[in-house]
RNA sequence: GCCGGGGUAGCUCAGAGGCAGAGCAACUGAUUCGUAAUCAGUAGGUCGCGGGUUCAACUCCCGCCCCCGGCUCCA
């Protein structure tokens, strides 16, 4: 929603209004006030555009020197004065030609450029005090309406979002209807910082990055446990659903990419190397090779749907400036699958993929939302194919009882798709899973066929789908979602046994052995430290269960159970082992053992 | 890739043209402890990499690499 507003601004189609909702209007007005403050402090600065965006607003300025944090404070100060003065926002109209003259006179070349791109005869302007801006509005009645705002950061941004254009300085800010909303938002920012997977990854010894391999994590033993548990779950479910797991080469001859079309459209993103005078590439996608699995045998209509899955290691040469922890990597482990089926089977297949997606995310307490992207103008294939395909996706969504957003024109040229976004524990949105119906690309390019009941050769359709998207990004997301406090089944260390003193070490060892015999990832913390220290350490490491043992427990055959922060008292050892095992097997989302 | 900010011990960070620093972690010892940090000691460094200026460079200059915040792109 907010993206669309921003996009409209960037495209400069002449629609410079923000949404007429109170919050978007307020943010838009706040951006004007910020521009006014900047012009007051630096009269030579030229203003570009300043829309309302999700959670706030920005304004772009042309200025010789960047804004410093101190500058932001000064601007905020002037903004408060403007707000206090409670100046009205006044709308006026002007012919386009007059407006061009007006802004040219003031040296506002960016505004002139915007105006030159507008084909309306008249344009509207908004003025508060000594600041006037080209704008469709709407705006707050006066600057006094701005109660709760804060400037957040400044950075470079290209004029019109195009890297060939000059770089402007953008200041980001946030504004809310009430002080409470602002505080809530600032809390969320702070919370996000605390949950940052890069920080938790280091603290919990999950993974590491080194200069020698930018964009590719070194999985440490703890992180690898999570990776393996995800794979294990993934395999269990896919085996049960009739997927066939495969593995295809990582290093592949250029010929394949020429055949698939990647060489032409994607080679900038591919890592290439020469081997005995042949060009090879690390695969950036699994799809082309998946067709080799399909073509291994002559397929009959009886073989379809053929569900070919692969946890594939991909490499994409992402631009260096875009890499970010596990969220944006160059080495991607994708949980891919390609379903080859008859066109009339596609709807059911997509329907089961959607059901699968929901099953997966439920396990992690992630709330999915669905977006259906339909045909773009430059589509490949016939109108009838697209009608059937899009209709199938609508029906599959409906069959699952899912509400969804429509994104007309957003599909790839070879077929419509459903993108699945999730919302995490602190309300952030992520796109991970995708279901893409492929009417023509793989089937046509790779000449896929099956023999139908009547003995004729027909062309199947392909469904590309991923549920985790990439293991890297998914682990990054759930690390932040759970703030490192993973459900027991995913926790690298599921239980720690803590003897009160070395006098009880024998019993602690026995408890430890019992846990390990039950395949529970348990550690014995018999370090020469006080009990409080070891409790704190286990807590900081986000270990789900602590089993404290001393005199009383040894005598009674019990353990004192602590579930992260909560003391659950003495429990019989047998029961704790059994219940812990059951919680792990059930992949429970919460810590249930010993809860009364 | 572009703009801005960074890179000093495993981690968090201070310092700065003239002997490289702290806290935590690690290690050793004392202590044997009942639910978020016991005390003492020891060790730990190519100050991102390469070049230059200088009697002397972690510090100044140039180039490169990597990280962070954005832009662009994206799973």
């Amino acid at each position: 929603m907010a993206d669309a507003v921003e996009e409209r601004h960037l495209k400069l189609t002449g629609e410079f209004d923000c949404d007429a909702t109170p919050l978007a209007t307020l943010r838009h007005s706040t951006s004007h006030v910020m521009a006014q403050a900047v012009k007051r402090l630096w009269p030579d600065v030229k203003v570009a555009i300043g829309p309302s965006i999700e959670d706030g607003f920005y304004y772009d300025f042309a200025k010789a020197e960047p804004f410093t944090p101190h500058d932001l404070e000064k601007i905020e100060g002037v903004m408060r004065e403007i707000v206090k003065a409670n100046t009205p926002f006044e709308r006026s109209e002007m012919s386009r030609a007059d407006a061009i003259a007006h802004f040219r006179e003031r040296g506002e070349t960016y505004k002139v450029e915007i105006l030159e791109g507008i084909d309306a005869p008249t344009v509207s302007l908004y003025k508060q005090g000594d600041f006037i801006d080209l704008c469709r509005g709407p705006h707050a009645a006066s600057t006094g309406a701005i109660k709760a705002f804060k400037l957040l950061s400044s950075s470079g941004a290209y004029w019109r979002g195009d890297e060939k254009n000059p770089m402007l300085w953008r200041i980001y800010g946030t504004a809310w209807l009430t002080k409470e909303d602002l505080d809530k938002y600032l809390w969320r920012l702070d919370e996000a910082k605390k949950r940052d997977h890069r920080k938790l990854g280091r603290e919990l010894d999950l993974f590491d990055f080194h200069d020698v391999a930018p964009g590719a994590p070194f999985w440490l033993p703890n992180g690898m446990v999570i990776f393996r548990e995800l794979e294990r779950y993934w395999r269990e479910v896919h085996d049960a659903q009739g997927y066939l797991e495969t593995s295809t080469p990582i290093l592949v001859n250029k010929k394949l990419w020429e055949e698939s079309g990647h060489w032409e459209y994607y080679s900038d993103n591919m890592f290439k190397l020469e081997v005995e005078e042949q060009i090879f590439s690390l695969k950036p996608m699994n799809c082309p090779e998946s067709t080799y699995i399909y073509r291994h045998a002559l397929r009959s209509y009886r073989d379809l749907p053929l569900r070919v899955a692969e946890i594939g290691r991909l490499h994409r040469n992402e631009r260096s400036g875009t890499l970010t922890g596990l969220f944006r990597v160059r080495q991607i482990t994708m949980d891919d699958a390609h379903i080859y089926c008859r066109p009339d089977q596609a709807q059911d297949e997509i329907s089961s993929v959607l059901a699968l997606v929901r099953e997966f995310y439920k396990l992690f307490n992630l709330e999915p939302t669905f977006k259906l992207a339909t045909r773009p103008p430059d589509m490949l294939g016939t109108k009838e194919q697209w009608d059937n395909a899009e209709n199938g996706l609508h029906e599959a969504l409906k069959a699952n009882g899912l509400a969804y957003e429509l994104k007309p024109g957003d599909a790839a040229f070879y077929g419509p798709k459903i993108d699945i976004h999730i919302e995490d524990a602190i309300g952030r949105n992520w796109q991970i899973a995708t279901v893409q119906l492929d009417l023509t690309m793989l089937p046509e390019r790779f000449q896929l066929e099956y023999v139908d009941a009547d003995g004729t050769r027909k062309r199947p359709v392909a469904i590309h789908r991923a549920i985790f998207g990439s293991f890297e990004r998914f682990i990054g997301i759930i690390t932040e979602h759970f703030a490192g406090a993973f459900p027991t089944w995913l926790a690298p260390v599921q239980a720690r046994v803590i003897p009160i003193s070395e006098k009880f070490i024998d019993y602690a060892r026995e408890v430890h052995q019992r846990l390990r015999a039950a395949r529970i990832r348990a550690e014995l913390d018999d370090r020469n430290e006080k009990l409080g220290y070891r409790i704190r350490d286990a807590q900081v490491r986000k270990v789900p269960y602590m089993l404290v043992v001393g005199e009383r427990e040894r005598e009674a055959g019990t353990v004192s159970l602590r579930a992260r922060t909560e003391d659950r008292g003495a429990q019989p050892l047998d029961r704790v082992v059994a219940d812990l095992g059951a919680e792990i097997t059930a992949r429970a989302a919460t810590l249930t053992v010993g809860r009364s």
Side-chain angles (χ1 to χ4, degrees):
Chain A
M1 194 72 175
D3 284 349
V5 174
E6 188 175 6
E7 219 169 74
R8 213 155 63 212
H9 279 79
L10 290 173
K11 283 180 181 155
L12 306 178
T13 52
E15 298 277 326
F16 296 105
D17 50 344
C18 61
D19 279 6
T21 62
L23 188 54
T25 304
L26 177 82
R27 287 172 176 163
H28 187 193
S29 296
T30 313
S31 88
H32 276 227
V33 168
M34 179 168 79
Q36 181 179 12
V38 168
K39 289 288 286 186
R40 194 176 287 178
L41 289 162
W42 295 273
D44 294 340
V45 164
K46 291 178 199 171
V47 297
I49 57 166
S52 140
I53 54 170
E54 184 170 10
D55 296 331
F57 61 90
Y58 67 78
Y59 212 115
D60 286 345
F61 303 97
K63 180 173 177 287
E65 296 296 317
F67 293 101
T68 65
H70 180 65
D71 289 342
L72 295 197
E73 281 171 35
K74 280 201 298 197
I75 296 164
E76 230 180 73
V78 174
M79 286 173 73
R80 293 194 195 289
E81 287 167 25
I82 296 168
V83 167
K84 205 169 164 198
N86 199 13
T87 337
F89 283 94
E90 295 166 295
R91 186 177 192 278
S92 61
E93 291 195 352
M94 215 182 249
S95 77
R96 196 177 69 106
D98 289 351
I100 290 174
H102 172 91
F103 284 107
R104 183 167 285 147
E105 199 177 300
R106 284 153 202 250
E108 293 289 3
T109 50
Y110 292 98
K111 293 294 175 193
V112 171
E113 193 177 327
I114 293 166
L115 280 162
E116 281 167 348
I118 298 176
D119 58 7
T122 59
V123 297
S124 64
L125 300 151
Y126 274 83
K127 176 173 178 278
Q128 83 272 15
D130 55 1
F131 181 78
I132 185 157
D133 200 357
L134 172 67
C135 182
R136 286 258 310 221
H139 273 285
S142 73
T143 59
I146 298 163
K147 306 269 184 235
F149 74 96
K150 186 171 165 57
L151 302 190
L152 298 173
S153 60
S154 88
S155 65
Y158 301 108
W159 166 234
R160 292 185 165 181
D162 187 332
E163 62 190 8
K164 289 190 266 311
N165 287 337
M167 191 157 290
L168 307 173
W169 297 110
R170 173 172 300 177
I171 301 177
Y172 283 98
T174 189
W176 299 82
L177 295 173
T178 64
K179 175 84 168 57
E180 290 71 51
D181 287 351
L182 173 65
D183 288 343
K184 220 183 290 168
Y185 176 68
L186 295 176
W187 171 85
R188 219 170 82 197
L189 288 185
D190 193 51
E191 187 63 25
K193 210 175 281 174
K194 280 191 220 153
R195 288 164 179 253
D196 192 314
H197 72 278
R198 293 165 296 191
K199 180 170 170 277
L200 288 169
R202 205 181 306 113
E203 288 171 0
L204 304 179
D205 299 317
L206 302 180
F207 54 84
D208 211 353
F209 283 93
H210 295 281
D211 289 6
V212 292
F218 286 70
W219 289 100
L220 301 172
N222 284 345
M224 203 56 208
V225 168
I226 296 170
F227 206 117
R228 284 173 44 176
E229 287 297 340
L230 293 180
E231 282 182 316
R232 192 210 303 251
Y233 172 66
W234 189 92
R235 290 199 165 99
E236 270 176 32
V237 172
H238 284 75
D239 286 352
Q241 299 256 332
Y243 283 82
L244 307 170
E245 186 171 353
T246 59
S247 179
T248 61
I250 290 172
L251 185 60
V252 195
N253 195 296
K254 173 190 173 194
K255 288 175 194 160
L256 175 78
W257 311 113
E258 285 172 339
E259 196 179 355
S260 70
H262 285 98
W263 199 257
E264 193 178 344
Y265 296 108
Y266 204 75
S267 66
D268 281 355
N269 284 300
M270 290 163 65
F271 288 104
K272 288 155 263 188
L273 61 160
E274 198 181 313
V275 182
E276 294 190 349
E277 297 177 17
Q278 300 270 327
I279 308 290
F280 284 71
S281 160
L282 302 178
K283 66 174 170 182
M285 291 174 188
N286 293 308
C287 349
E289 287 182 285
S290 155
T291 68
Y292 281 66
I293 306 281
Y294 181 90
R295 292 185 294 176
H296 169 72
L298 178 60
R299 304 293 177 181
S300 145
Y301 73 100
R302 295 174 200 276
D303 297 328
L304 305 183
L306 187 69
R307 307 185 187 93
V308 181
E310 170 163 12
I311 296 177
R313 271 255 148 107
L314 311 179
H315 293 81
R316 297 181 184 174
N317 190 5
E318 306 291 351
R319 297 162 97 184
S320 58
T322 63
L323 303 175
T324 307
L326 293 176
F327 286 167
R328 193 72 187 278
V329 291
R330 284 192 176 135
Q331 178 188 279
I332 305 166
T333 312
M334 188 178 264
D335 70 310
D336 221 344
H338 296 87
I339 303 170
Y340 299 95
C341 61
R342 303 191 309 258
D344 64 286
Q345 293 171 318
Q347 184 182 320
D348 281 349
E349 285 306 308
I350 286 166
S351 194
S352 6
V353 170
L354 292 175
L356 194 60
V357 163
R358 296 173 74 197
E359 186 184 332
F360 262 75
Y361 293 158
K362 210 166 138 198
L363 193 57
F364 301 96
N365 281 333
L366 295 165
E367 220 27 76
T369 53
F370 300 83
K371 299 187 186 197
L372 172 58
T374 56
R375 72 192 76 179
D378 57 344
M379 68 191 199
L380 224 69
T382 67
K383 180 174 175 298
E384 194 193 351
Q385 273 178 314
W386 278 85
D387 285 343
N388 287 336
E390 288 176 2
N391 195 40
L393 294 192
H394 280 291
E395 291 304 319
L397 284 158
K398 279 188 204 145
N400 278 272
L402 298 173
Y404 57 95
E405 192 186 324
L406 200 60
K407 307 278 261 184
D410 238 27
F413 62 89
Y414 52 84
K417 65 172 176 176
I418 299 169
D419 282 333
I420 296 111
H421 293 237
I422 54 95
E423 186 174 306
D424 76 4
I426 57 170
R428 292 174 302 180
N429 246 278
W430 308 94
Q431 202 236 297
I432 26 187
T434 177
V435 190
Q436 168 92 54
L437 187 51
D438 181 354
L439 304 168
T440 56
M441 192 185 64
L442 292 187
E444 300 282 346
R445 276 206 178 255
F446 290 94
Q447 308 270 303
L448 305 184
E449 290 179 337
Y450 65 92
V451 179
D452 209 350
D454 62 5
T456 62
R457 300 216 173 185
K458 300 243 170 79
R459 188 135 287 170
V461 298
I463 296 164
H464 308 242
R465 43 115 286 182
I467 295 181
F468 290 136
S470 89
F471 279 78
E472 289 80 6
R473 180 178 282 183
F474 191 77
I475 292 174
I477 290 168
I478 59 172
T479 299
E480 302 202 358
H481 175 63
F482 294 120
F486 295 100
T488 311
W489 70 280
L490 282 171
V493 175
Q494 296 167 319
R496 243 189 216 178
V497 182
I498 308 177
I500 279 167
S501 81
E502 68 186 23
K503 285 185 213 143
F504 314 106
I505 190 127
D506 285 344
Y507 182 57
R509 284 203 183 108
E510 186 190 328
V511 171
H512 184 223
Q513 280 312 315
R514 286 285 304 282
L515 292 167
R516 294 181 70 159
R519 301 284 183 267
I520 292 160
R521 293 187 292 267
E523 283 179 354
L524 173 61
D525 188 354
D526 58 356
R527 286 177 297 177
N528 181 10
E529 294 289 350
K530 292 175 79 171
L531 178 61
Y533 176 93
R534 287 174 291 155
I535 295 280
R536 178 176 191 277
D537 187 68
Q539 185 114 62
V540 166
R541 309 281 301 183
K542 319 261 188 202
V543 175
Y545 292 103
M546 291 162 240
L547 282 61
V548 178
V549 296
E551 180 77 41
R552 297 198 293 267
E553 291 77 10
R554 182 174 61 186
E555 294 311 311
T558 59
V559 297
S560 273
L561 188 69
R562 195 181 152 112
R564 289 213 168 99
T565 56
E566 189 186 329
D567 190 348
R568 292 193 178 164
Q571 313 270 339
L573 174 60
D574 291 343
R575 212 183 85 196
V576 169
V577 172
D579 290 356
L580 194 42
E583 174 175 312
I584 292 165
T585 307
R587 296 191 172 99
T590 53
L591 307 191
T592 56
V593 179
R595 202 160 56 186
S596 47

